[in-house]
C-alpha cells in the first residue's frame, strides 16, 4: 500500500514539474487542447453555423458554406472554437466541424505554381484568386500547394492560412 502511494506521489510530482510543451516567448496555448493560439485549421464540413457564443443557445450569425476553407482559431471553450476567416470575421464553431488538415486561400489572381520553390522554375499551373488549396511543405518564402490535380510551389506572401515565419516539412 505504501509503495503504491509513493509511486502515485512520484508520478504526480513529475507531471506537475514537467512542462506540457516548450513555449516561446509570448506564445499562448488553448485551455482545452493545449495547442498554440492562434492556429490554422480548415472546415471539415461543407456547411457550418457560426454562433455569437460557445453554445447551441447562442444566435447563429452566419453559415460557412465552403468545405476546406482555412480558418484561424483564436480561442477555445469546451467543445467550441472561436474562429476568424480571411476577412477577420468569425464567431464560435463546434470543434466537430473543423479539421486539422491545412489549407490556404490564394490571394492573387492567376497565381503561378512553379515546379520548384524558385521564381525561374517552370510554371505547372495557375490558380485563380480565392481558390482553396491543400498546404504541403513550406520554407521561409515558399509553400507547396495541391489543387485541382496540380501540385507546385507558390510564394507564401500570396497565401492566407499560413504564418509568415511558419516552416513545414
Amino acid at each position: 500500500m505504501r509503495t503504491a502511494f509513493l509511486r502515485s506521489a512520484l508520478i504526480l510530482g513529475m507531471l506537475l514539474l514537467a512542462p506540457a510543451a516548450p513555449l516561446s516567448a509570448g506564445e499562448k496555448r488553448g485551455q482545452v487542447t493545449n495547442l498554440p493560439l492562434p492556429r490554422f485549421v480548415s472546415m471539415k464540413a461543407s456547411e457550418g453555423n457560426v454562433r455569437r457564443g460557445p453554445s447551441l443557445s447562442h444566435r447563429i450569425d452566419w453559415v460557412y458554406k465552403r468545405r476546406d476553407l482555412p480558418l484561424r482559431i483564436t480561442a477555445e471553450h469546451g467543445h467550441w472554437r472561436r474562429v476568424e476567416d480571411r476577412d477577420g470575421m468569425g464567431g464560435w464553431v463546434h470543434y466537430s466541424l473543423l479539421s486539422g488538415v491545412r489549407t490556404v486561400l490564394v490571394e492573387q489572381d492567376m497565381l503561378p505554381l512553379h515546379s520548384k520553390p524558385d521564381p525561374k522554375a517552370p510554371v505547372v499551373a495557375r490558380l485563380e484568386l480565392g481558390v482553396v488549396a491543400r498546404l504541403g511543405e513550406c520554407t521561409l518564402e515558399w509553400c507547396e500547394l495541391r489543387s485541382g490535380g496540380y501540385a507546385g510551389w507558390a510564394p507564401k506572401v500570396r497565401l492566407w492560412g499560413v504564418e509568415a515565419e511558419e516552416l513545414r516539412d
Side-chain angles (χ1 to χ4, degrees):
M1 177 106 171
R2 181 169 164 77
T3 305
F5 174 76
L6 289 174
R7 185 178 314 133
S8 297
L10 179 63
I11 291 172
L12 179 61
M14 290 171 49
L15 289 174
L16 292 174
L17 294 175
L23 294 176
S24 60
E27 186 176 69
K28 186 177 170 192
R29 296 229 171 229
Q31 293 178 340
V32 178
T33 64
N34 198 37
L35 294 171
L37 289 176
R39 69 179 178 277
F40 286 101
V41 295
S42 60
M43 279 293 295
K44 182 187 329 182
S46 57
E47 191 171 291
N49 294 333
V50 181
R51 296 181 179 272
R52 188 152 297 181
S55 76
L56 292 173
S57 63
H58 283 88
R59 185 177 128 198
I60 297 171
D61 284 333
W62 62 85
V63 179
Y64 285 131
K65 292 192 173 210
R66 192 167 186 187
R67 178 184 217 102
D68 295 328
L69 180 71
L71 298 168
R72 178 186 290 133
I73 294 179
T74 59
E76 302 175 345
H77 181 80
H79 289 163
W80 296 86
R81 306 295 177 260
R82 188 172 61 209
V83 299
E84 292 178 353
D85 60 21
R86 181 202 170 281
D87 299 322
M89 301 303 291
W92 291 89
V93 175
H94 194 269
Y95 81 104
S96 65
L97 301 174
L98 303 174
S99 169
V101 173
R102 294 289 301 278
T103 61
V104 293
L105 204 57
V106 172
E107 292 196 302
Q108 174 187 322
D109 198 24
M110 303 312 289
L111 177 70
L113 281 185
H114 296 272
S115 61
K116 296 187 291 191
D118 179 351
K120 296 176 184 162
V123 174
V124 296
R126 293 187 183 274
L127 301 179
E128 292 181 357
L129 178 68
V131 163
V132 173
R134 288 277 169 116
L135 183 63
E137 183 180 343
C138 287
T139 66
L140 280 175
E141 296 179 5
W142 292 83
C143 286
E144 185 180 28
L145 306 179
R146 291 180 306 284
S147 180
Y150 295 96
W153 292 82
K156 192 186 285 186
V157 295
R158 303 288 181 231
L159 309 171
W160 188 87
V162 61
E163 298 291 345
E165 68 282 352
E166 186 175 349
L167 300 174
R168 292 175 48 92
D169 294 343

